[in-house]
Amino acid sequence: MQAGTITGLIGPNGAGKTTVFNCLSGVIPAEAGQITFDGTQITTWRPEQISQRGLVRTFQIARGFPRLTVLETLLLHGEAQPGEDVVAALFSPGRWRKREAELITRAEEVAAQLNLTHVLDNMSSDLSGGQKKLLEIGRALMGRPKLILLDEPVAGVNPTLSGEIAERIAALRETGLTFLVVEHDMEIVARLCDPVIVMAAGAKLTEGSFEEVVSDPRVQDAYLGQRA
Amino acid sequence: MLSYLLATLTFAGVYALLALGLNVIWGMAGMINLGLAGFFALGAYASALATVALGLPIIVGIVIAIAFAAAAGALLSRLTLNLRGDYLAIVTLGFSEVIRLIAANEIWLTNGSDGIPGIPGPLRGTLTPLEFNALSCALLFAAVGLAWWMTERLRRAPFGRALRAIRDDETAAAVAGKPVRRYKVQAFAIGAGLLGLAGAAYAHFTSYVAPDIFRPLLTIYIFLALTAGGTGNTSGAVIGAFFVILILEGSRFIEPLFHGLSGAQGAALREIIIGSSLILIMRIRPQGLLAERPPKSLRTQ
């Protein structure tokens, strides 16, 4: 993957797209092959190490923390918070409150970018589907990532809002971020992604611009079923 | 009567410590620990043996009890890291029964089912029984206050936020960059330390420990206390503990109102009252008397 791109990862259901995400983010250990990120071997790393390195993922079904507020969810993803250490939490509140104030500033910026400012104090479980998707992206942004894996960022979201989410992603790419996006909404893929990687039956089928891959007969076969 | 009241309040303090310990493990970090009685017993026996067999001062015994229970908690949670929900519940329940059976059978160490009598209490010889109860009550309340302050401080800190995130979704918390395993072991150890403190306090107040005290029913009472008070709410844990003691002791006074009950029937009536009151609370307030609220963020201050 090229830095600064929005790479699409498409393929029919069961092609293994989410499995790729799980391997990349360390949720499932890879059985074979190697994962290199930013010049570092991360094949056997644990999820939190990978996230701290700058590769952050979102989940397909907005998997959040229902009993945390939106602000808390964002703050949770901020790095270098000394108050997460039990001793500092008990005995040096001044130190973690200072860092907390910085993280709150950043959380407010992220929320403003994603139009979530007015729901910062709501419980995450009370958000609408689209807001949950935006919060997923917000969570990823809090960790100051280099590469964000987006798992179906617009699934189940109305067309107006999905267009808006796509715009936000494009704007974030301009700030130097790299994205790998799994998405079934081809309109969004066509608008956002270049290059596009096509997977089928657990393996990579082809790669190219959106126009190239959709005109590839093998891709059409994979989606529509094998011709006899 | 005053002496009885003070003793009851002291027991309520012991229950409050247990509920606060459970609140860290289950309320905040979401790990079901049905082994409360086991950690309670570890603390009680550790402090009893340290003071009776080794002749150490009470305060040293209590510190040993906390450290011992916390270490056992860390070890048990380290061994059960991959178990969730019901499976962790079964293992911890088994742990607590193992502790009770060891206490009943390792006679050279624990004096078996005869128990350990004559555990020293602070100034027990010099004070009248009433004064001793008053002092114990005051000390227990101070301990509960300290434990409340400590766990509430942890809850409000980013540490507590990470625990609540793990409770909601372990995988998402790991992806958020949180070392889930370390947090779980720490939370379990802190909670177990409080359970051990409760055990030591109980031993020094009653002067006697025996295996029969540490039956699983105690664990159930503490779960009821925390659920009734409000799981995840530090003040709720304390209030729930006092509430359970109120029902447990209060039902004593209802029993004589029903004439012609045999002893066994009377005891059964008490259990019925206890059970129904808790069902009633859960029907009316499923979230507990005090619902959990996210700590106030620094943003709004």
Side-chain angles (χ1 to χ4, degrees):
Chain A
M1 276 188 62
Q2 278 289 310
T5 62
I6 301 179
T7 304
L9 181 61
I10 62 171
N13 288 326
K17 305 179 296 288
T18 299
T19 306
V20 168
F21 267 28
N22 284 337
C23 289
L24 289 177
S25 60
V27 174
I28 298 176
E31 275 178 15
Q34 294 192 332
I35 305 166
T36 312
F37 170 63
D38 203 12
T40 315
Q41 265 286 351
I42 57 163
T43 314
T44 55
W45 287 24
R46 284 208 302 275
E48 68 267 21
Q49 296 173 310
I50 294 172
S51 300
Q52 283 160 8
R53 185 73 180 74
L55 194 167
V56 179
R57 73 169 292 178
T58 66
F59 288 95
Q60 187 172 348
I61 305 155
R63 242 177 117 155
F65 308 108
R67 288 173 286 184
L68 259 55
T69 66
V70 173
L71 177 64
E72 283 181 310
T73 306
L74 291 174
L75 293 176
L76 185 78
H77 290 71
E79 79 289 349
Q81 168 51 274
E84 288 183 351
D85 179 79
V86 61
V87 179
L90 271 181
F91 301 112
S92 24
R95 211 154 60 97
W96 72 252
R97 288 210 176 108
K98 188 162 160 276
R99 177 68 185 142
E100 189 84 342
E102 295 164 13
L103 288 175
I104 286 172
T105 311
R106 181 136 117 254
E108 283 171 338
E109 285 165 18
V110 167
Q113 278 176 22
L114 298 168
N115 198 19
L116 289 172
T117 305
H118 59 293
V119 291
L120 269 178
D121 289 322
N122 292 17
M123 298 305 270
S124 304
S125 53
D126 296 339
L127 296 183
S128 72
Q131 287 169 330
K132 280 182 182 158
K133 293 282 182 187
L134 288 168
L135 179 56
E136 279 287 309
I137 300 174
R139 290 161 53 167
L141 288 175
M142 282 301 289
R144 288 206 195 286
K146 295 183 175 124
L147 169 63
I148 300 183
L149 310 180
L150 295 175
D151 200 349
E152 302 199 7
V154 302
V157 171
N158 72 54
T160 321
L161 189 57
S162 69
E164 198 182 309
I165 293 175
E167 268 168 41
R168 309 259 178 208
I169 296 169
L172 289 166
R173 192 256 311 263
E174 298 305 314
T175 67
L177 277 168
T178 310
F179 288 92
L180 178 63
V181 184
V182 165
E183 187 49 66
H184 283 298
D185 186 330
M186 288 305 148
E187 212 175 301
I188 297 292
V189 175
R191 238 172 84 183
L192 273 182
C193 303
D194 190 36
V196 175
I197 300 172
V198 185
M199 280 187 78
K204 179 171 156 183
L205 195 63
T206 183
E207 178 176 348
S209 73
F210 184 75
E211 289 73 24
E212 280 164 28
V213 299
V214 289
S215 54
D216 187 327
R218 289 174 305 159
V219 175
Q220 293 163 5
D221 282 349
Y223 267 95
L224 300 173
Q226 211 73 36
R227 262 171 280 194
Chain B
M1 185 64 197
L2 181 61
S3 189
Y4 163 78
L5 196 66
L6 287 169
T8 304
L9 284 173
T10 309
F11 282 122
V14 172
Y15 271 45
L17 285 177
L18 288 167
L20 284 169
L22 179 63
N23 191 42
V24 176
I25 299 172
W26 182 51
M28 285 158 69
M31 294 177 281
I32 302 180
N33 177 6
L34 287 185
L36 301 182
F39 293 102
F40 187 63
L42 275 182
Y45 271 100
S47 198
L49 288 170
T51 50
V52 174
L54 304 177
L56 295 169
I58 293 171
I59 183 73
V60 178
I62 290 175
V63 171
I64 290 174
I66 296 172
F68 202 63
L75 184 68
L76 184 66
S77 64
R78 184 69 194 75
L79 294 174
T80 57
L81 271 177
N82 295 324
L83 301 181
R84 289 182 197 180
D86 308 352
Y87 302 99
L88 181 61
I90 296 286
V91 171
T92 50
L93 182 63
F95 165 81
S96 131
E97 284 296 277
V98 166
I99 297 292
R100 188 169 68 83
L101 291 173
I102 290 175
N105 289 293
E106 297 299 316
I107 297 169
W108 61 274
L109 181 68
T110 64
N111 206 22
S113 52
D114 288 344
I116 304 173
I119 302 165
L123 303 173
R124 196 194 296 278
T126 44
L127 296 176
T128 67
L130 178 66
E131 285 167 348
F132 176 75
N133 282 359
L135 176 66
S136 300
C137 187
L139 288 174
L140 249 300
F141 273 52
V144 169
L146 192 66
W148 180 91
W149 176 83
M150 193 189 88
T151 54
E152 180 64 14
R153 201 169 164 94
L154 285 178
R155 193 181 80 85
R156 286 167 190 265
F159 177 80
R161 182 165 67 214
L163 287 190
R164 288 186 297 130
I166 290 167
R167 177 186 69 182
D168 277 359
D169 190 331
E170 264 185 44
T171 309
V175 171
K178 306 303 157 214
V180 171
R181 300 151 72 90
R182 199 184 75 204
Y183 275 113
K184 285 170 80 171
V185 171
Q186 283 177 346
F188 210 107
I190 292 167
L194 289 175
L195 302 175
L197 169 64
Y202 177 87
H204 291 293
F205 175 60
T206 61
S207 82
Y208 174 68
V209 292
D212 265 359
I213 298 165
F214 308 105
R215 292 199 168 274
L217 185 63
L218 175 74
T219 300
I220 302 302
Y221 281 153
I222 301 306
F223 263 88
L224 291 175
L226 186 55
T227 318
T231 312
N233 187 310
T234 317
S235 306
V238 176
I239 287 173
F242 278 82
F243 182 76
V244 163
I245 287 283
L246 179 77
I247 297 177
L248 285 175
E249 291 299 317
S251 56
R252 248 183 236 284
F253 297 99
I254 295 175
E255 199 187 316
L257 302 179
F258 295 89
H259 298 290
L261 285 182
S262 74
Q265 284 170 326
L269 180 69
R270 277 185 70 199
E271 299 288 330
I272 292 172
I273 295 171
I274 294 162
S276 355
S277 346
L278 288 158
I279 290 172
L280 201 66
I281 290 196
M282 293 289 76
R283 286 293 306 176
I284 300 169
R285 278 189 77 81
Q287 72 277 43
L289 295 168
L290 295 179
E292 182 189 15
R293 273 196 211 90
K296 213 171 171 189
S297 79
L298 298 174
R299 179 171 164 260
T300 45
Q301 278 169 16

